[in-house]
Amino acid sequence: MSELLRPAADWELKSMLAQFGAQNLAVEIVGAGSKRAIGHPVQAAALLTTASLRGITLYEPTELVMSARAGTPVSQIEVELASRGQMLPFEPLDFGAALAAPVGLQTIGAVFATNNSGARRISVGSARDHLIGLRGVNGRAEIFKSGGRVMKNVTGYDVARALTGSWGTLAVMTEVTFKVAPLPDDIATLVYTGLPEDLAVEMMSLAMGTPFEISGTVHLTPKHAARIATAPVGGRATSITALRIENFMKSVRYRKGRIMEALKAYGQPMELDLEASLGFWAEMRRLVPVRFSDDILWRVSTSPRKAADLVATLRRHMPVEATYDWSGGLVWIEIPDCADAGAADIRRAVAIAGGHATLIRAREAVRREVEVFQPQAPALEKLSRGLKDVFDPQGLLNPGRMYQTM
Amino acid sequence: MTAIRLPEPESAVVARRDVIVKDLVAMLGATSVIADEDGRRAYETDAFTAYRCMPLAVVLPDTTDGVAQVMAYCHRNGIKVIPRGAGTSLCGGALPAEDAIVIGVSRMNKVLEIDTPARFARVETGITNLAISAAAGPLGFFYAPDPSSQLACTLAGNIAMNSGGAHCLKYGVTTNNVLGVKMVMIDGTVVEVGGAHLDADGYDLLALIIGSEGQLGIVTEATVRILPMAEGARPMLIGFESTAKASICVSRIIASGIVPVAIEFMDRPAIEVCEAFAKAGYPLDVDALLIVEVEGSEEEIADRLGYIAGIAQELGPSSLIISADDAQSAKIWKGRKSAFGAIGRKADYLCMDGTIPLSQLTYVLEEISNICKRYGLGVANVFHAGDGNLHPLIMYDANNARQAERAEQAGADILKLCVAAGGCLTGEHGVGIEKRDLMRVQFSDVDLAQQMRIKSLFDPQWLLNPAKVFPLDGRPELTAGVADPAVAAE
Ligand SMILES: Cc1cc2nc3c(=O)[nH]c(=O)nc-3n(C[C@H](O)[C@H](O)[C@H](O)COP(=O)(O)OP(=O)(O)OC[C@H]3O[C@@H](n4cnc5c(N)ncnc54)[C@H](O)[C@@H]3O)c2cc1C
Ligand SMILES: Cc1cc2nc3c(=O)[nH]c(=O)nc-3n(C[C@H](O)[C@H](O)[C@H](O)COP(=O)(O)OP(=O)(O)OC[C@H]3O[C@@H](n4cnc5c(N)ncnc54)[C@H](O)[C@@H]3O)c2cc1C
């Protein structure tokens, strides 16, 4: 890797990519670059960062909309939003603690490039759901736009959303426009302790079926729960299951009561007030329960109904600690270090349950060998390859980052 | 009307019609094929009724496999395909072509699975939008996107158009509520994208499929999110003497930190017609009416409506009515949801669908009224104000060719205005044929070429709904033979 490129404008990025295209040389795309060592190592002639594409370009609090250049740190965006009583509703995770990387650097472009969403995704939708427009430069060195700055837009194909979760392999986003939301007046969290996983998932699903708009549902097995520091949840040796309620104050009080009533059979919960709730959910957002260690970390997306079974199946083959988010629809699975990262067992279990598994953390030697993203069915793989060709026919952008041969 | 050009039908295909019909009958059985003139007539247009065209034949398969067989057949024989749901498209999305087979999914309307703990429903896409909520309702759940046409329109059409509705301010549009689809590709291959889990793996193909207006494949099954019903919901009516005040009110509500489930806007002509139709108790002495709905328990609703009333009071509303009970709420919504139909009884109309930034609302509404005056036409506005999705209804007389033409011109001017104001051509109805030739107002050639490459990836021969969405000129080859406009006319 010889060069570090820092384009500061769309046209500059375009001319850089045109040059790489002319020489048929690959380029690795990063935001803050904090997680580049993870996933398949990208073989590229140069590293291109969006760090100089920085700044909030539009913010209309009365329309709940913001535009920012892709390299703008999320931390800067959240400070600006908070000053007007608003937030990024999908609460993107910070992977620093889980990956032994710096915390707080992540860029807004990378949030959308990886469709990074946290606990509130269960009630309000993912990063992808909040993206309404973008500008970017594709692998053909063409500047393009998709979507716009308005909330509803079905003009032409939804290219902007199609680029979320594409990990910089289709195009480099230079500016993103997204929906924001008001901060809730009040937050409360109900924490149930000692529930086994199947009951916890059952309870979380039941809670999500009530009309009380629960905005976070997580379950942590004992070892993961012990890593939480926020009092009074912190430092317990039992599993914890947490439900978050957000709204105006009177409503939170009312809903808390109704939920406890509905879930009486699962025990008497601890109640976290606003401050403790902020602390706890901030730890969840920093992935504290799966913070860095030598253990292997997988991220599994499945139907909540299947989550606990899937983990139980895996336990027949290996010790497993798990953090369930999205009422069981997302499971962070931690297993001891091993040669194939447990990929064969995990992917088999996921194939049965439905969904997909992504390898998040493993030694480099392991990562070289294991498919990081879920291998796709042939018909879908053909479409994925085709889509790569549409945007980046020469395969210049992040070759191999998602799929080894793409 | 004559302004929109359609490609010349391929005479070789039209000439083989009898053989093709025989083949289709052999594949699906006679009950699933409509070939006679009267039968086909029912499919010659959609809700964009100014344009009509008899299809070669119509098939209504019962299964995904049936769809796949017909698709593979069309692919082998180079025959165009028009996917169809209920035909309520307002942009000519389901308009047939003389050399094309309409594949309708309306007979595939079963609920396959409802899973309330995991909060999804798996259905065949020919099911109507409302039927999903009807099936989930007894379990305490509903399917959120609620186009006004929900009684008739199918999930298939909703997926193809990425349809929205009044309550999308809170719950999002179709693309935010579909988790997975089963889709038949043009060569007959069946792909499954996503599923019961919240995020699909790999590239976000669902994002491309939803809103692709039947150009990428035929969606036969879908897994959709269902949500628990709120404890209660209640609308309030806020009337203002000016649209300016109403739009300030919308901005202030949103800025205050409340996101209601819906904020709908009606202007005077719309209020009059809807009130006459639904007797909803709309005030008749105001220039602008907002319907604002919130959800929750009785107390929560009272609290929030009180808060919103406070915001409205500061602007001196001409009237402020909180719905007293469910019966009145139902009437209020009936008035809104039947707005198009009610106006349609008075006059023919073209329904525009541009979206604008809320801050431009007052300016844009004024300009719309100026534009229509210039063309000597009446206009009524009834739309989703919370998200800036306008629906100017330009009224005209379809039997008067001059007027019809002027209505189309006024519509085009309005859409250009929306784009210039920072918005877009269509917020929920889609491009179809109606806005196809305006796409360059919003997109550069690079943007369009990129989208057309995606079309070519899924459908290399451009057999699926080809005359729609993209301007006919500047397409990859295939565009030879643009017909004389007269061919497209009635
Ligand atoms: C293997 C792995 C799996 C992960 N899985 C998930 C997950 O499933 N869900 C989740 O929410 N988070 C996931 N993350 C975390 C997420 O990627 C990081 O939190 C975040 O991307 C870091 O921000 P950054 O600015 O340092 O990004 P970087 O590490 O610099 O970039 C992250 C990715 O985004 C691309 N990218 C960055 N900027 C742009 C841009 N402007 N245009 C186009 N592409 C761009 C990069 O090429 C790279 O592929 C995962 C991380 C890794 C390493
Ligand atoms: C009175 C009235 C009110 C309306 N209100 C609203 C509203 O509030 N919000 C809104 O968004 N829209 C509204 N619409 C527009 C229309 O109802 C929607 O676009 C609807 O989604 C169309 O559904 P349909 O089943 O009628 O589809 P059709 O009109 O049959 O087809 C629409 C498009 O979908 C494609 N298609 C159909 N089936 C499939 C399939 N299986 N696979 C792939 N593509 C397919 C067609 O080719 C066509 O391009 C309204 C229309 C009317 C007449």
Side-chain angles (χ1 to χ4, degrees):
Chain A
M1 191 93 46
S2 52
E3 272 184 276
L4 175 64
L5 303 169
R6 304 169 63 92
D10 289 11
W11 62 266
E12 198 181 356
L13 172 60
K14 174 186 161 81
S15 73
M16 285 172 179
L17 292 183
Q19 277 174 33
F20 283 101
Q23 301 169 62
N24 213 15
L25 292 174
V27 43
E28 181 177 351
I29 312 300
V30 295
S34 49
K35 284 88 187 168
R36 341 186 344 243
I38 296 152
H40 286 310
V42 172
Q43 299 295 328
L47 186 63
L48 186 151
T49 171
T50 58
S52 296
L53 290 162
R54 202 167 159 152
I56 293 167
T57 45
L58 171 122
Y59 180 27
E60 290 281 359
T62 58
E63 294 175 30
L64 303 176
V65 61
M66 180 181 266
S67 304
R69 302 176 83 207
T72 314
V74 173
S75 50
Q76 180 187 339
I77 284 171
E78 296 201 299
V79 166
E80 184 68 28
L81 287 170
S83 76
R84 303 297 296 263
Q86 297 185 341
M87 64 175 180
L88 284 178
F90 50 93
E91 54 180 354
L93 302 172
D94 189 317
F95 279 71
L99 302 174
V103 173
L105 294 182
Q106 128 169 274
T107 60
I108 194 69
V111 164
F112 290 103
T114 59
N115 189 20
N116 177 352
S117 325
R120 206 181 283 105
R121 190 253 179 274
I122 184 98
S123 63
V124 301
S126 60
R128 171 240 200 228
D129 288 311
H130 288 80
L131 184 71
I132 56 178
L134 62 74
R135 291 174 59 83
V137 183
N138 63 19
R140 300 171 186 255
E142 296 168 333
I143 298 174
F144 67 93
K145 67 170 179 309
S146 170
R149 56 154 296 193
V150 288
M151 294 295 151
K152 272 166 81 185
N153 187 344
V154 298
T155 325
Y157 298 163
D158 198 346
V159 172
R161 280 206 176 85
L163 291 177
T164 55
S166 66
W167 289 80
T169 61
L170 298 179
V172 184
M173 304 175 186
T174 57
E175 184 181 52
V176 287
T177 303
F178 44 93
K179 295 192 232 185
V180 302
L183 281 163
D185 294 345
D186 193 20
I187 310 173
T189 306
L190 300 176
V191 182
Y192 295 77
T193 55
L195 291 177
E197 284 149 274
D198 51 350
L199 277 188
V201 171
E202 178 187 288
M203 182 190 81
M204 292 191 290
S205 298
L206 204 67
M208 288 307 298
T210 67
F212 306 116
E213 302 180 300
I214 290 167
S215 70
T217 50
V218 295
H219 173 79
L220 283 57
T221 55
K223 198 170 138 204
H224 283 178
R227 293 174 182 162
I228 294 287
T230 304
V233 199
R236 288 174 180 266
T238 59
S239 76
I240 58 173
T241 314
L243 307 177
R244 178 171 58 186
I245 308 149
E246 299 177 303
N247 213 332
F248 56 99
M249 278 163 89
K250 260 202 252 166
S251 162
V252 166
R253 206 175 321 125
Y254 163 74
R255 292 180 174 193
K256 210 165 60 178
R258 291 293 305 270
I259 292 165
M260 280 161 63
E261 178 66 27
L263 304 177
K264 229 169 24 203
Y266 300 89
Q268 184 64 28
M270 282 186 277
E271 292 178 39
L272 309 193
D273 62 7
L274 175 65
E275 201 181 330
S277 291
L278 287 172
F280 174 78
W281 293 99
E283 287 195 272
M284 288 306 304
R285 232 186 122 175
R286 291 199 309 275
L287 289 175
V288 168
V290 294
R291 70 173 175 226
F292 187 75
S293 73
D294 290 339
D295 288 344
I296 283 165
L297 181 63
W298 286 88
R299 175 188 184 279
V300 172
S301 181
T302 188
S303 161
R305 223 175 224 297
K306 307 289 172 62
D309 269 357
L310 187 149
V311 171
T313 308
L314 287 178
R315 283 218 178 89
R316 284 193 235 127
H317 306 283
M318 58 189 92
V320 178
E321 290 293 328
T323 288
Y324 296 76
D325 199 344
W326 305 350
S327 79
L330 173 66
V331 197
W332 299 94
I333 291 180
E334 220 176 28
I335 59 170
D337 190 11
C338 63
D340 83 329
D345 291 322
I346 288 181
R347 292 239 151 91
R348 193 176 324 115
V350 169
I352 293 166
H356 56 97
T358 311
L359 178 60
I360 300 292
R361 184 175 70 212
R363 278 180 294 119
E364 194 183 327
V366 174
R367 279 187 280 116
R368 275 185 198 288
E369 299 307 318
V370 178
E371 283 291 352
V372 172
F373 291 88
Q374 184 86 12
Q376 295 188 300
L380 280 186
E381 201 204 294
K382 197 172 142 207
L383 284 175
S384 298
R385 270 180 202 285
L387 204 59
K388 174 77 175 170
D389 276 349
V390 162
F391 285 90
D392 179 23
Q394 285 174 269
L396 304 179
L397 306 177
N398 281 358
R401 173 97 203 199
M402 284 183 78
Y403 303 103
Q404 257 164 336
T405 60
M406 250 168 69
Chain B
M1 276 187 243
T2 57
I4 301 167
R5 295 159 74 86
L6 294 166
E8 189 92 60
E10 282 179 63
S11 46
V13 172
V14 177
R16 293 207 318 270
R17 184 165 175 268
D18 291 345
V19 181
I20 293 169
V21 168
K22 227 165 81 204
D23 290 345
L24 292 171
V25 170
M27 248 179 282
L28 300 176
T31 53
S32 295
V33 181
I34 299 171
D36 64 300
E37 184 150 346
D38 281 351
R40 283 184 291 146
R41 175 95 41 215
Y43 295 85
E44 67 175 357
T45 185
D46 52 23
F48 189 55
T49 50
Y51 290 80
R52 284 161 205 275
C53 180
M54 288 281 266
L56 199 67
V58 178
V59 296
L60 303 173
D62 301 311
T63 61
T64 299
D65 189 52
V67 174
Q69 280 187 48
V70 179
M71 290 280 262
Y73 173 83
C74 290
H75 183 241
R76 274 198 311 276
N77 293 286
I79 303 168
K80 300 188 182 83
V81 171
I82 312 290
R84 185 176 178 106
T88 67
S89 169
L90 286 164
C91 62
L95 178 77
E98 247 181 277
D99 56 351
I101 294 175
V102 170
I103 302 185
V105 292
S106 55
R107 286 195 189 157
M108 301 178 60
N109 57 5
K110 284 192 283 297
V111 174
L112 302 171
E113 182 184 2
I114 295 188
D115 187 331
T116 53
R119 296 179 308 288
F120 70 81
R122 201 159 56 81
V123 298
E124 293 181 330
T125 56
I127 191 169
T128 62
N129 172 294
L130 200 59
I132 305 173
S133 289
L139 305 166
F141 285 74
F142 72 109
Y143 174 64
D146 61 337
S148 304
S149 51
Q150 66 187 146
L151 189 63
C153 68
T154 63
L155 181 63
N158 294 173
I159 288 173
M161 292 311 193
N162 190 13
S163 300
H167 293 79
C168 289
L169 185 57
K170 177 168 175 188
Y171 295 113
V173 294
T174 303
T175 196
N176 309 116
N177 289 280
V178 173
L179 300 173
V181 296
K182 183 183 270 189
M183 183 171 85
V184 182
M185 308 272 294
I186 186 63
D187 64 0
T189 317
V190 178
V191 292
E192 293 200 36
V193 183
H197 44 289
L198 281 179
D199 51 352
D201 64 309
Y203 292 139
D204 199 336
L205 298 172
L206 265 186
L208 289 177
I209 292 166
I210 299 168
S212 63
E213 305 204 10
Q215 291 199 307
L216 303 186
I218 294 197
V219 179
T220 57
E221 277 179 34
T223 306
V224 300
R225 246 155 54 100
I226 49 172
L227 302 174
M229 287 191 270
E231 282 185 275
R234 182 143 358 118
M236 71 192 289
L237 298 170
I238 313 173
F240 287 102
E241 84 229 354
S242 72
T243 51
K245 277 193 180 178
S247 72
I248 294 171
C249 187
V250 174
S251 296
R252 289 203 187 160
I253 293 170
I254 290 176
S256 78
I258 299 179
V259 181
V261 226
I263 307 181
E264 297 288 300
F265 182 111
M266 291 189 195
D267 67 3
R268 189 184 279 267
I271 299 167
E272 281 168 7
V273 177
C274 293
E275 177 59 19
F277 180 81
K279 309 269 180 297
Y282 297 160
L284 290 169
D285 54 347
V286 298
D287 263 358
L289 180 67
L290 299 177
I291 306 176
V292 184
E293 181 163 89
V294 299
E295 290 179 341
S297 67
E298 275 303 316
E299 275 180 25
E300 286 172 329
I301 288 174
D303 187 291
R304 290 294 90 170
L305 288 181
Y307 194 91
I308 293 169
I311 293 172
Q313 290 292 5
E314 282 173 23
L315 293 161
S318 318
S319 87
L320 204 154
I321 306 160
I322 292 182
S323 165
D325 52 33
D326 288 352
Q328 190 179 357
S329 303
K331 274 194 184 158
I332 287 173
W333 278 115
K334 183 174 171 224
R336 166 59 186 93
K337 291 205 171 182
S338 46
F340 294 5
I343 290 168
R345 291 174 167 208
K346 253 187 68 176
D348 299 298
Y349 67 81
L350 281 184
C351 175
M352 297 295 115
D353 176 45
T355 308
I356 54 155
L358 263 187
S359 52
Q360 305 291 316
L361 190 59
T362 310
Y363 161 73
V364 170
L365 287 179
E366 247 162 55
E367 278 303 298
I368 287 176
S369 137
N370 291 338
I371 288 170
C372 291
K373 261 190 218 133
R374 213 174 316 134
Y375 288 101
L377 299 168
V379 62
N381 282 288
V382 39
F383 60 90
H384 314 303
D387 43 33
N389 188 183
L390 306 181
H391 288 324
L393 299 166
I394 307 169
M395 293 177 271
Y396 70 101
D397 175 1
N399 296 320
N400 179 334
R402 280 272 301 138
Q403 262 200 27
E405 196 179 315
R406 273 183 285 146
E408 275 192 4
Q409 286 163 350
D413 284 1
I414 289 173
L415 295 184
K416 285 178 193 158
L417 167 70
C418 291
V419 175
C424 65
L425 295 173
T426 168
E428 58 181 18
H429 295 168
V431 178
I433 56 163
E434 186 207 10
K435 299 160 207 110
R436 183 191 71 197
D437 298 325
L438 291 171
M439 287 289 272
R440 290 205 178 87
V441 176
Q442 191 173 327
F443 291 112
S444 71
D445 285 344
V446 168
D447 300 335
L448 287 177
Q450 184 162 270
Q451 293 180 39
M452 288 192 283
R453 275 186 219 116
I454 294 170
K455 163 75 172 154
S456 297
L457 163 64
F458 283 79
D459 175 20
Q461 300 176 57
W462 282 59
L463 293 175
L464 278 161
N465 228 3
K468 320 287 165 68
V469 184
F470 302 106
L472 294 182
D473 60 311
R475 291 177 167 202
E477 332 21 314
L478 310 145
T479 51
V482 172
D484 185 278
V487 177
E490 273 179 63

